């Protein structure tokens, strides 16, 4: 058995500053907004901030002496809003307020999009199809386009003005300048040029070629770009809401009220009023209100919503149950052990949210680029305008190319590439019982080539079970189990309990022994149904001058060669049989090891048990490399030795004694059925005690990382390819607007594919 001596985990990072807070940020419209806020916060002494555009949150660490109000004031001076976190008691209502606010924003966007679309379609149709250009058609276009550019694009103009007041430029600046420039040019051409004359016609082209500038109007570009970008923002907002749905569903899993036993009566109260030590009732079909221990009753509990495990788990008095699981059978009375933020559900939600708010190193690079991208684009647009004027002297072409540059250059796809994939990937993981602690973990899963598996509780069940029953000639097997099981049931030793449980399962009810005595270090003895029974080591039998028959001695030796514990049984002065017990291998472990191999990982079994037991378990699951008889503190040395050989090591464990090794490994996977120390030290937490989930976790992490990289490649590639096309006059501004809007939509939609991960 693996020792459970406490071992201090080796930390992976420096201690956090004195305080940390998560602020809800309002008013961000693109990645460069997030970059600006982050930059301002990080300029404060001792403050470290990460601002996530997709989740609209800032995770801020700050030293003693800095107040949260100062952080909020800094964000507001930058031109955005920030909210102080609510008190824990009000958190649920605050969460619903946030959802309502997001729904309101979505409805406002949808309204603007719908009205703008209705008005824009005829404007674009008239501009694209010369046969629709009746006399004075241009004035109808102006009438229809003006509300779109002024009211439909108002959020962009407002954000651009706010940023300009703070000496900054963002994506909204590009959109606002581009649409207003196109609209302003059209007004000049209509009122002061030749475009307003009756009978004016012009053809629509995908390139920027135009005739006389005074007779050219860009109302279709101004209205079309606004509508396309509104469509992109709406789809983006809707997709972001879908991406966060898994976390919201996780937060909503818990019970809302509970029946508490007080003064011998059941009283229905809100879950928030439940206290540690309270006894509460869970009827069939009800959710368990919080983490606790069963003190009355027996039932089956369905934990599928938390662990993904479809088979209900039987529980009885003394068993632990988890909040938000469903009672599928009889009535239970549970003593509350953890409440509020300490429950497993709350910790799962916190891990998922922390992961979603984090940033991978590759995203930090994208954010830095987004932060300087907008000013650079404005310079490129001015350069394009001047170059075209100098080279061609064609003001129309110069202006159109400059507007196309402004509109095509959207850094939003860069800002959304990582957070949307993280939101969907971590949310889907939570649904499957896989908790990813942060984006940097994803990089580790790609590099890992060796996986070290702790034996007890990870590959095996961690509980002794009856394995084989050998009987002497003429002895009834059920009789042997009945007498031995009855005697062992009175002992608290794990081996005795395993024999008693196995016997009860095979033969049913067991009789009550008389004159029971525990012989220290040797076994137990007593009288069962009038028989003087001995169960224990061979030495116990020898003290009563009883020898094992040859066939029983051979069976005992064979069992011990396999690493199993052999227990001799005798009654009435004669050896009757041998029972063997062992820590049973989990049914799914062999399949899990095969799956890890398919992922390109070499499995290594690590245990404090003796070599024979370890090799027996390794053979059963298909592991070639075994490191046995290792003390808890030596597990770290084993991981370091493997790393020194050039291997990138993942460690899977569940005990306190695994915590340091989990923290030392390049990737730590903690079984959620294990100790808090192990879970805190791990990078990935597997809520189920099924080793197959470790393979699923690595596959999901790799898939999420691949999605992030695909998103970034598309976003970078789009901007690199599109800017020169626009500058060289190969894109109409309206086509540029459509391409820009849908680059963000593509990135978010690509991330949403992770929802189908199985």
């Amino acid at each position: 058995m693996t020792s459970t001596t406490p071992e201090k985990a080796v930390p992976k990072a420096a201690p956090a500053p004195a305080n940390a807070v998560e602020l809800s940020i309002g008013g961000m419209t693109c990645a460069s907004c997030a970059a600006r806020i982050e930059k301002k916060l990080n300029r404060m002494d001792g403050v470290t901030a990460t601002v996530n555009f997709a989740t609209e949150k800032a995770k801020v660490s700050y030293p003693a002496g800095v107040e949260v109000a100062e952080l909020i004031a800094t964000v507001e001076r930058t031109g955005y809003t920030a909210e102080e976190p609510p008190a824990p008691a009000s958190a649920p209502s605050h969460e619903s307020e946030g959802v309502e606010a997001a729904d309101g924003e979505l409805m406002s966007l949808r309204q603007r999009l719908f009205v703008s679309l209705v008005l824009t379609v005829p404007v674009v149709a008239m501009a694209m199809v010369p046969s629709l250009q009746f006399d004075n058609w241009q004035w109808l276009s102006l009438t229809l386009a003006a509300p779109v550019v002024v009211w439909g694009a108002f959020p962009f103009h407002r954000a651009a003005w706010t940023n300009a007041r703070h000496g900054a430029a963002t994506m909204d600046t590009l959109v606002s300048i581009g649409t207003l420039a196109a609209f302003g040019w059209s007004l000049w051409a209509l009122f002061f040029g030749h475009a307003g004359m009756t009978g004016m016609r012009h053809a629509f082209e995908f390139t920027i070629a135009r005739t006389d500038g005074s007779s050219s109007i860009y109302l279709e570009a101004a209205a079309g770009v606004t509508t396309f970008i509104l469509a992109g923002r709406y789809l983006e907002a809707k997709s972001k809401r879908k991406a966060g749905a898994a976390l919201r569903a996780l937060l909503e899993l818990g019970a809302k009220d509970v029946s508490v036993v007080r003064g011998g009566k059941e009283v229905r109260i809100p879950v928030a009023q439940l206290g540690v030590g309270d006894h509460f009732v869970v009827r069939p079909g009800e959710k368990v209100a919080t983490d606790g221990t069963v003190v009355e009753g027996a039932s089956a509990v369905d934990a599928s919503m938390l662990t993904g495990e479809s088979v209900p788990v039987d529980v009885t008095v003394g068993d632990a149950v988890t909040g938000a699981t469903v009672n599928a059978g009889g009535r239970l009375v549970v003593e509350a052990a953890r409440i509020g933020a300490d429950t497993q559900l709350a910790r799962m939600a916190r891990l998922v949210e922390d992961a979603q708010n984090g940033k991978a190193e590759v995203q930090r690079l994208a954010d830095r680029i987004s932060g300087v991208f907008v000013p650079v684009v404005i310079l490129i647009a001015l350069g394009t305008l001047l170059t075209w004027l100098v080279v061609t002297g064609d003001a129309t072409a110069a202006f159109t190319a400059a507007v196309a540059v402004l509109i095509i250059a959207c850094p939003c796809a860069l800002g959304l590439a990582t957070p949307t994939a993280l939101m969907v990937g971590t949310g889907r993981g939570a649904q499957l019982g896989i908790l990813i602690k942060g984006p940097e973990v994803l990089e580790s899963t790609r590099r890992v080539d060796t996986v070290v598996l702790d034996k007890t509780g990870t590959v095996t069940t961690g509980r002794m079970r009856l394995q084989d029953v050998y009987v002497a000639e003429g002895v009834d097997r059920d009789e042997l189990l009945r007498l031995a099981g009855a005697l062992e049931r009175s002992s608290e030793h794990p081996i005795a309990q395993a024999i008693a449980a196995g016997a009860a399962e095979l033969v049913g009810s067991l009789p009550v022994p008389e004159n029971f005595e525990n012989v220290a270090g040797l076994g137990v003895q007593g009288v069962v149904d009038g028989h003087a029974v001995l169960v224990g080591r061979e030495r116990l039998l020898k003290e009563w001058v009883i020898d094992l028959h040859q066939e029983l001695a051979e069976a005992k030796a064979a069992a011990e060669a396999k690493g199993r514990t052999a227990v001799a049984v005798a009654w009435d002065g004669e050896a009757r049989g041998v029972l063997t017990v062992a820590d049973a291998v989990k049914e799914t472990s062999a399949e899990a090891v095969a799956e890890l191999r398919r992922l390109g990982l070499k499995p290594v079994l690590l245990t404090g048990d003796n070599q024979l037991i370890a090799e027996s378990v390794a053979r059963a699951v298909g592991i070639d490399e075994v490191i046995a008889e290792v003390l808890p503190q030596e597990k770290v040395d084993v991981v370091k030795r493997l790393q020194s050989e050039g291997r990138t090591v993942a460690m899977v464990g569940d005990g306190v004694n695994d915590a340091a090794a989990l923290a030392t490994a390049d990737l730590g996977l903690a079984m959620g059925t294990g100790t808090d120390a192990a879970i805190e030290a791990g990078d990935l937490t597997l809520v189920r005690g099924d080793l197959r989930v470790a393979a699923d976790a690595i596959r999901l992490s790799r898939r999420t990382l691949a999605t992030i990289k695909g998103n970034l490649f598309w976003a970078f590639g789009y901007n690199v390819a599109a800017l020169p096309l626009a500058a060289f006059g190969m894109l109409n501004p309206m086509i540029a607007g459509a391409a820009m809007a849908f680059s963000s939509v593509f990135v978010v939609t690509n991330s949403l594919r992770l929802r189908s991960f199985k």
Side-chain angles (χ1 to χ4, degrees):
M1 296 285 287
T2 302
S3 170
T4 54
T5 307
E7 181 72 25
K8 188 179 177 182
V10 179
K12 281 191 171 180
N19 302 293
V21 69
E22 192 173 82
L23 300 175
S24 295
I25 307 294
M28 289 194 298
T29 54
C30 67
S32 51
C33 297
R36 283 189 59 232
I37 298 168
E38 195 170 287
K39 189 175 179 181
K40 290 282 187 183
L41 286 171
N42 283 325
R43 281 181 179 170
M44 297 175 70
D45 288 339
V47 173
T48 305
T50 300
V51 181
N52 191 310
F53 171 49
T55 58
E56 298 177 339
K57 288 181 180 175
K59 194 172 182 182
V60 189
S61 300
Y62 59 98
V66 174
E67 299 292 331
V68 174
E70 294 176 57
L71 302 174
I72 292 173
T74 300
V75 175
E76 289 175 344
R77 282 196 299 272
T78 313
Y80 304 89
T81 63
E83 276 186 24
E84 194 169 354
S90 62
S93 61
H94 178 82
E95 184 71 30
S96 61
E97 284 170 18
V99 171
E100 285 170 14
D103 286 342
E105 183 186 346
L106 205 61
M107 192 174 294
S108 173
L109 263 175
R110 185 168 57 200
Q111 187 180 43
R112 285 183 195 274
L113 171 60
F114 179 75
V115 173
S116 298
L117 182 63
V118 169
L119 296 175
T120 299
V121 168
V123 174
V124 173
M126 286 186 287
M128 291 180 69
V129 185
S131 61
L132 296 179
Q133 294 171 5
F134 53 87
D135 288 347
N136 296 317
W137 67 275
Q138 65 271 42
W139 296 103
L140 176 61
S141 286
L142 175 63
T143 306
L144 295 173
V148 177
V149 177
V150 176
W151 175 78
F154 179 72
F156 310 134
H157 304 321
R158 181 179 54 198
W161 172 245
T162 302
N163 287 314
R165 280 171 39 222
H166 291 88
T170 66
M171 171 58 208
D172 296 293
T173 308
L174 301 182
V175 175
S176 182
I177 291 175
T179 54
L180 289 178
F183 189 67
W185 180 286
S186 301
L187 288 177
W188 177 83
L190 284 167
F191 287 99
F192 302 104
H194 306 299
M197 295 175 63
T198 302
M200 189 277 283
R201 305 283 189 275
H202 72 64
F204 178 86
E205 297 181 13
F206 283 93
T207 60
I208 61 166
R210 281 287 188 269
T211 53
D212 176 22
S214 64
S215 63
S216 296
I217 59 173
Y218 294 92
L219 294 171
E220 84 283 358
V225 164
T226 299
T227 302
F228 277 128
I229 294 173
L230 279 172
R233 288 275 171 94
Y234 173 69
L235 292 172
E236 183 184 299
K238 198 171 179 182
S239 297
K240 276 163 63 178
R241 184 153 168 68
K242 278 186 188 173
L247 178 58
R248 285 194 299 276
L250 196 63
L251 291 167
E252 291 166 5
L253 278 178
K256 303 297 182 285
D257 50 28
V258 59
S259 291
V260 181
V261 179
R262 287 182 179 163
K265 295 182 179 179
E266 289 185 27
V267 183
R268 201 80 183 171
I269 62 169
V271 166
Q273 295 177 16
L274 195 63
V276 173
D278 280 348
H279 286 200
F280 61 90
V281 177
V282 191
R283 293 183 176 80
E286 287 185 341
K287 289 180 180 178
V288 177
T290 193
D291 299 356
T293 306
V294 177
V295 293
E296 185 183 318
S299 182
V301 172
D302 179 3
S304 58
M305 68 289 295
L306 283 183
T307 66
E309 178 60 66
S310 58
V311 180
V313 178
D314 290 328
V315 294
T316 187
V317 175
D319 289 337
V321 289
T322 305
T325 54
V326 177
N327 180 11
R331 179 180 181 273
L332 295 174
V333 178
V334 180
E335 182 178 324
R338 288 194 290 248
I339 57 171
D342 296 328
T343 63
Q344 185 175 342
L345 178 65
R347 288 166 64 198
M348 283 175 65
R350 199 158 54 242
L351 280 171
V352 174
E353 194 161 22
D354 286 347
Q356 291 182 352
N357 286 334
K359 289 187 182 180
E361 196 56 42
V362 69
Q363 178 63 26
R364 294 186 187 280
L365 173 63
D367 284 351
R368 286 197 293 274
I369 291 170
S370 294
V372 299
F373 192 72
V374 174
V376 168
V377 167
I378 292 173
L379 289 175
I380 292 172
L382 287 172
T384 300
L385 179 68
L386 294 173
T387 303
W388 274 80
L389 284 173
V390 170
V391 173
T392 68
D394 184 345
T396 305
F399 172 78
T400 311
V403 170
V405 167
L406 287 171
I407 291 170
I408 195 75
C410 169
C412 287
L414 288 176
L416 290 168
T418 293
T420 52
L422 264 181
M423 286 172 76
V424 182
T426 53
R428 180 61 182 147
Q431 289 174 332
L432 298 173
I434 301 164
L435 305 182
I436 302 170
K437 281 198 176 174
E440 62 283 349
V441 171
L442 304 177
E443 288 285 352
S444 302
T445 61
R446 181 178 58 84
R447 298 192 303 269
V448 164
D449 55 30
T450 302
V451 57
V452 175
L453 305 173
D454 172 56
K455 180 184 75 70
T456 308
T458 302
V459 176
T460 64
T461 61
R463 297 186 302 275
M464 302 297 279
R465 289 188 63 184
L466 178 64
Q467 299 290 327
D468 299 306
V469 180
Y470 300 98
V471 294
E473 190 175 346
V475 176
D476 181 67
R477 177 175 175 273
D478 287 357
E479 179 73 358
L480 177 81
L481 287 168
R482 204 169 66 83
L483 297 180
L487 201 58
E488 292 283 54
R489 190 170 61 175
S490 298
S491 171
E492 294 180 356
H493 195 283
I495 292 175
Q497 288 297 305
I499 290 172
E505 187 179 328
L506 293 169
V507 300
S509 61
L510 303 173
V512 178
E514 300 171 25
N515 302 326
F516 171 83
E517 185 182 345
N518 188 11
V519 184
L522 294 179
V524 293
Q525 59 190 41
V527 176
V528 183
D529 287 351
H531 299 286
V533 183
L534 304 172
V535 183
R537 295 177 183 268
E538 190 176 355
R539 272 179 52 200
L540 177 64
L541 272 64
K542 287 187 179 295
E543 287 191 1
W544 288 82
V545 198
I546 300 173
D547 292 321
L548 288 178
H549 305 309
Q550 184 179 350
E551 67 272 18
L552 293 180
E554 289 173 356
K556 175 178 175 292
E560 289 173 343
K562 292 180 183 177
R564 294 179 177 177
T565 301
V567 177
V569 182
W571 67 78
D572 296 343
E574 190 174 345
R576 307 287 181 166
V578 170
L579 304 174
T580 69
V581 295
D583 180 7
V585 174
K586 292 178 182 176
E587 293 177 2
T588 57
S589 290
E591 184 184 339
V593 169
E595 181 63 27
L596 290 168
R597 285 188 186 279
R598 280 193 289 273
L599 291 170
L601 307 177
K602 181 175 182 181
V604 177
L605 188 68
L606 180 66
T607 180
D609 269 355
N610 70 58
Q611 192 73 27
L612 282 175
I613 293 174
E615 287 177 354
S616 171
V617 170
R619 279 194 303 273
V621 297
I623 297 177
D624 302 323
E625 191 172 348
V626 178
I627 302 172
E629 299 175 21
V630 176
L631 295 174
Q633 58 270 28
E634 293 172 343
K635 290 188 175 185
V636 173
D637 298 330
V638 169
V639 171
K640 286 181 177 177
R641 177 171 61 77
L642 292 171
Q643 289 170 329
S644 69
E645 293 172 2
R647 303 200 214 180
T648 304
V649 180
M651 167 83 187
V652 186
D654 73 330
V656 173
N657 58 330
D658 298 322
L662 286 167
T664 305
D666 299 285
L667 180 69
L669 292 92
M671 305 293 272
T673 50
T675 63
D676 290 349
I679 291 168
E680 286 299 318
D683 300 306
L684 289 161
T685 301
L686 315 176
V687 178
R688 280 179 14 222
D690 188 337
L691 190 57
R692 289 178 300 181
V693 183
D696 290 339
I698 291 173
R699 282 197 303 115
L700 175 61
S701 298
R702 287 180 177 178
R703 179 86 64 83
T704 305
L705 181 65
T707 301
I708 289 172
K709 291 190 171 180
N711 285 348
L712 287 170
F713 174 81
W714 169 262
F716 275 117
Y718 161 81
N719 283 120
V720 168
L723 272 174
L725 287 175
F728 284 109
M730 301 173 71
L731 281 179
N732 179 285
M734 190 173 68
I735 304 301
M740 182 275 285
F742 284 101
S743 67
S744 293
V745 175
F746 171 84
V747 162
V748 177
T749 306
N750 188 45
S751 298
L752 287 173
R753 292 189 306 123
L754 287 167
R755 295 172 78 193
S756 62
F757 177 87
K758 291 183 173 59

